[in-house]
Amino acid sequence: MPKNIAIVVLGASGDLAKRKLIPALSRLYEKNEIDNCTAIIGSGRSEFDDTSFRNRFDISPEFARLLSYHRGMKGLKEYIEKKGNFSRIIFFMAIPPVAYASTAEELAAEGFGPNSYLIIEKPFGYDYQSAHTLNHRLARHFDETHIFRIDHYLAKEAVQNILVFRFANSLFYPVWNSKYIDSIQIQAFETLGVENRGAYFDNSGIIRDMIQNHLIQLLCLLTMEAPVSLDAEDVRNQKINILKSIEVRDCCRYQYLGYLDEKGVAPDSTTETYAEMKLSINNFRWAGTPIHIRTGKALNRKGTEIGLKFKKVPRLLFNAADILEPNKIVFKIQPSEGIVIDTISKTPGGGIQLSNANLAFCYRNSFKAEIPEAYQRLLLDAIRGDRTLFVGAEETEVSWKKFEPSLGKGKLKYYRKGEVPGPGLTDDWIDFEKYISVCE
Ligand code: BG6
């Protein structure tokens, strides 16, 4: 466990600190991942003393003692120095994205130096140019190895398992290419609409909010070559190779009816709340395998799945009539995490009747330990200095470059809340609903 750490939450009076960060730090404390020498300092514009700051959270008295509050940036360095001699000061920017660069500059001007680290929430940039400028401004004061860009999808347990599944099992390695895989499909559905984030979302849209970052990270892990080691740099390099090979082939955008009445949304907004995309990865492994991605708000259920549909078996033996379903591998990212391999089996009894049979691995049945919450995992990694689950500067820029041309393009269509829009770009979607109850 790293010693002498100060964690400074900038924007500590906000929602993220209350809902996610302080609870995650509190759980790390309960698990002895951070000790009594750790200082957790809230900083923000609001006026609090230590007691009123601590009282905002539902935490134990022992953990509360680690917390203190300093208003604003001015004098922050001196304040921290009085608390101790810290080997590492980690700043969590729980502040509006427009303030990331200027806040980093203020930190540098305050004199925070080489023992300072930054954790930055998404969205990282609004397009290629803004991401590039932000990277550039951060790099003037902070080394890339000290910058932790969060993509909370990377901290999901079932996402981390993708590389393990692929590279710790020789079984799947030979078939992981366009010769055997007919299509790759990724979907992330949500039932909620934009709720109280209308103003942010209206300026963003689902392609920026979900595809350009979270879902593309999933695609990278699913399709990248094996890295030479698990070092952050080696993993990032392979992800970048995929990002560079991605081509967006088609995109359609939809908006749910009633969106224009949401608080913070412009009355004539053409922002999409659902999008479907067809991509290809133009490299030797994946050329010829179509990739379908769809995601949206106000749909029929909450769930994220990745599916690999294999090529059909030849029209011989059991498949003379060409009716056999192809094999599929489905990664259930959330909820009810697991992996399902859909195969064909003989139905018991006389004659040859075939049916689908699932081979399923479910976290709930295989592992007793609770799955750590994403922020808990990310904060711990940042404290340890492990950048593997964070996004690198180049990744953010290449990804924006690929998706920018699709932003706001094409005719907007509409859908009713609770329905999945369509027909979209393909009628070849895996019936992911079939696997919902597996692992429940
Ligand atoms: C966030 C998006 O990054 O991810 C939200 O800004 C979205 O709009 C959320 O709802 C989805 O995360 P999860 O973990 O609930 O799938």
Side-chain angles (χ1 to χ4, degrees), residues 71 74 102 160 171 190 227 232 302 310 326 411:
R71 184 163 185 268
K74 209 161 180 331
S102 57
Q160 289 168 44
L171 192 59
E190 290 188 86
K302 164 105 181 152
F310 283 76
K411 187 167 174 288

Side-chain angles (χ1 to χ4, degrees), residues 20 121-123 151-153 156 188-190 192-194 197 200-201 204 206 208-210 213-214 297 302-304 333-334 374-375:
K20 299 280 189 189
E121 261 295 335
K122 69 160 276 246
D151 184 314
H152 78 281
Y153 265 58
K156 291 183 191 283
F189 284 8
E190 290 188 86
L192 294 180
V194 293
R197 297 165 75 226
Y200 151 76
F201 192 88
S204 163
I206 205 80
R208 284 192 175 88
D209 189 49
M210 288 291 293
N213 38 54
H214 303 322
K297 305 258 178 210
K302 164 105 181 152
T304 303
I333 303 297
Q334 62 184 20
Y375 279 93

Side-chain angles (χ1 to χ4, degrees), residues 394-421:
E394 194 181 351
E395 277 176 86
T396 59
E397 294 185 22
V398 182
S399 177
W400 276 122
K401 259 192 192 154
K402 294 289 169 167
F403 288 94
E404 199 169 296
S406 316
L407 296 170
K409 293 282 159 56
K411 187 167 174 288
L412 188 70
K413 296 183 213 158
Y414 297 88
Y415 63 104
R416 273 195 286 272
K417 279 186 180 179
E419 283 180 3
V420 181

